[in-house]
Amino acid sequence: MRDLFGAPETLDPPSEPIAKGAALLRGKALPFESDVLAALHAITAQAPFRRMTTPGGYVMSVAMTNCGAAGWITDRGGYRYDPIDPQSGLPWPVLPDCFRELAGAAAADAGYPGFVPDSCLINRYEPGARLTLHQDKNERDYSLPIVSVSLGLPAVFQFGGLKRTDPVRKFALQHGDVAVWGGPSRLHFHGVAELKEGEHEKLGRVRINLTLRGAL
């Protein structure tokens, strides 16, 4: 439908509640897609994906990189944010404007206006990779939400409660979907089920997840 001046209406993407303080915004990232994919290519050329090792010596199945003021890393020394990429010895790539704009728009739709991320953890899942239930606890300010952008192959997002043993809800994620959680759900356990085999028309046999945060 068009208005009297012939301009197409713009409709907000449908919002699906995940939990109190958490929402799934279907297709929210699609208007940003071309800019985000171009920025992603530039970031990973400067700071390539790598599979990190946990403090317990486990090599993660998900490959990771970062951009922004600090990057989330894990090694034998623990989990933390660091302004320097340990692989190159250089600062992480700058957080692109399109990432910041997408995160701000999604956070506002989910009830968190004014959110300005300073960092983005970028995960690459290949078929068979998964991310076990965990909490995001290395950020300094838990009053800020997490904005999670799904690109590429479909995945199953798992969202639990404040205890690892709490019931877990499952949500099918498609290319362009954005999940946002904060407030009472900010420290809820969450994860991604094992990625199934597939081929995405733009990203191939992978799923990319952008997790935008206020880390510092």
Side-chain angles (χ1 to χ4, degrees):
M1 181 178 177
R2 294 177 177 269
D3 64 21
L4 294 176
F5 297 97
E9 285 185 345
T10 57
L11 301 176
D12 290 331
S15 176
E16 181 178 341
I18 296 176
K20 188 174 182 180
L24 177 55
L25 307 172
R26 297 291 185 186
K28 181 65 179 179
L30 293 179
F32 300 83
E33 180 187 44
S34 60
D35 288 343
V36 165
L37 293 182
L40 178 65
H41 179 76
I43 291 165
T44 55
Q46 182 179 340
F49 285 108
R50 75 291 308 260
R51 293 171 66 192
M52 299 184 191
T53 302
T54 67
Y58 171 72
V59 178
M60 300 182 70
S61 64
V62 177
M64 300 179 174
T65 188
N66 294 274
C67 63
W72 185 88
I73 62 173
T74 173
D75 54 24
R76 291 286 191 172
Y79 306 108
R80 62 192 182 280
Y81 281 95
D82 196 309
I84 300 299
D85 178 352
Q87 186 167 287
S88 68
L90 300 172
W92 296 100
V94 173
L95 185 70
D97 288 342
C98 59
F99 283 25
R100 188 178 294 107
E101 291 165 6
L102 170 55
D109 284 356
Y112 302 99
F115 174 58
V116 180
D118 57 24
S119 303
C120 179
L121 171 62
I122 306 171
N123 294 338
R124 184 188 69 194
Y125 295 77
E126 296 179 350
R130 65 190 180 98
L131 196 61
T132 57
L133 290 174
H134 64 282
Q135 296 169 297
D136 293 334
K137 297 181 70 174
N138 300 121
E139 298 75 27
R140 292 188 182 179
D141 187 353
Y142 294 161
S143 71
L144 299 177
I146 301 289
V147 176
S148 177
V149 181
S150 190
L151 302 169
L153 288 177
V156 175
F157 180 54
Q158 303 167 322
F159 201 81
L162 290 172
K163 297 183 294 184
R164 189 183 296 274
T165 54
D166 285 342
V168 174
R169 299 184 67 195
K170 298 180 180 180
F171 300 85
L173 298 179
Q174 302 293 329
H175 177 74
D177 289 346
V178 180
V180 182
W181 61 96
S185 64
R186 173 59 180 78
L187 291 177
H188 279 212
F189 279 87
H190 56 281
V192 176
E194 182 175 316
L195 192 71
K196 294 182 178 180
E197 186 66 60
E199 183 83 19
H200 186 266
E201 60 179 348
K202 294 185 178 179
L203 290 170
R205 292 179 64 253
V206 299
R207 172 185 181 253
I208 301 293
N209 179 228
L210 312 177
T211 340
L212 292 126
R213 306 121 182 269
L216 302 180

Short mmCIF file of all heavy atoms in Angstrom, two decimals, residues 159-161 163-169:
data_model
loop_
_atom_site.label_atom_id
_atom_site.label_comp_id
_atom_site.label_asym_id
_atom_site.label_seq_id
_atom_site.Cartn_x
_atom_site.Cartn_y
_atom_site.Cartn_z
N PHE A 159 17.59 -20.50 24.15
CA PHE A 159 17.54 -19.43 25.15
C PHE A 159 16.93 -19.98 26.42
O PHE A 159 15.77 -20.40 26.45
CB PHE A 159 16.73 -18.25 24.63
CG PHE A 159 17.03 -16.95 25.34
CD1 PHE A 159 18.14 -16.20 24.99
CD2 PHE A 159 16.22 -16.49 26.36
CE1 PHE A 159 18.43 -15.00 25.63
CE2 PHE A 159 16.50 -15.29 27.01
CZ PHE A 159 17.62 -14.55 26.65
N GLY A 160 17.73 -19.99 27.49
CA GLY A 160 17.30 -20.54 28.77
C GLY A 160 17.03 -19.48 29.81
O GLY A 160 16.52 -18.39 29.51
N GLY A 161 17.41 -19.77 31.04
CA GLY A 161 17.16 -18.85 32.14
C GLY A 161 18.45 -18.45 32.83
O GLY A 161 19.55 -18.57 32.27
N LYS A 163 19.80 -19.90 35.32
CA LYS A 163 20.55 -21.09 35.72
C LYS A 163 20.69 -22.01 34.52
O LYS A 163 19.78 -22.12 33.69
CB LYS A 163 19.83 -21.83 36.86
CG LYS A 163 19.71 -21.02 38.15
CD LYS A 163 19.07 -21.84 39.26
CE LYS A 163 17.62 -22.17 38.92
NZ LYS A 163 16.94 -22.89 40.03
N ARG A 164 21.82 -22.70 34.44
CA ARG A 164 22.06 -23.60 33.31
C ARG A 164 21.00 -24.70 33.22
O ARG A 164 20.70 -25.20 32.13
CB ARG A 164 23.45 -24.22 33.43
CG ARG A 164 23.88 -25.00 32.20
CD ARG A 164 25.24 -25.65 32.41
NE ARG A 164 26.29 -24.65 32.59
CZ ARG A 164 26.95 -24.09 31.58
NH1 ARG A 164 26.64 -24.41 30.33
NH2 ARG A 164 27.90 -23.21 31.82
N THR A 165 20.43 -25.05 34.35
CA THR A 165 19.45 -26.14 34.39
C THR A 165 18.03 -25.68 34.08
O THR A 165 17.12 -26.50 34.03
CB THR A 165 19.47 -26.81 35.77
OG1 THR A 165 19.28 -25.81 36.79
CG2 THR A 165 20.80 -27.51 36.01
N ASP A 166 17.81 -24.38 33.88
CA ASP A 166 16.47 -23.88 33.57
C ASP A 166 16.01 -24.40 32.20
O ASP A 166 16.84 -24.71 31.34
CB ASP A 166 16.46 -22.35 33.56
CG ASP A 166 16.51 -21.75 34.96
OD1 ASP A 166 16.20 -22.47 35.92
OD2 ASP A 166 16.87 -20.55 35.07
N PRO A 167 14.69 -24.48 31.99
CA PRO A 167 14.18 -24.92 30.68
C PRO A 167 14.70 -24.02 29.56
O PRO A 167 14.91 -22.82 29.74
CB PRO A 167 12.66 -24.78 30.84
CG PRO A 167 12.41 -24.88 32.31
CD PRO A 167 13.60 -24.24 32.96
N VAL A 168 14.92 -24.62 28.40
CA VAL A 168 15.47 -23.92 27.24
C VAL A 168 14.43 -23.87 26.13
O VAL A 168 13.85 -24.90 25.77
CB VAL A 168 16.75 -24.62 26.74
CG1 VAL A 168 17.24 -23.99 25.44
CG2 VAL A 168 17.84 -24.57 27.80
N ARG A 169 14.20 -22.68 25.61
CA ARG A 169 13.34 -22.51 24.43
C ARG A 169 14.20 -22.48 23.18
O ARG A 169 15.35 -22.03 23.23
CB ARG A 169 12.52 -21.23 24.54
CG ARG A 169 11.58 -21.18 25.73
CD ARG A 169 10.74 -19.92 25.71
NE ARG A 169 9.83 -19.92 24.57
CZ ARG A 169 9.18 -18.83 24.12
NH1 ARG A 169 9.40 -17.65 24.69
NH2 ARG A 169 8.36 -18.91 23.10
#
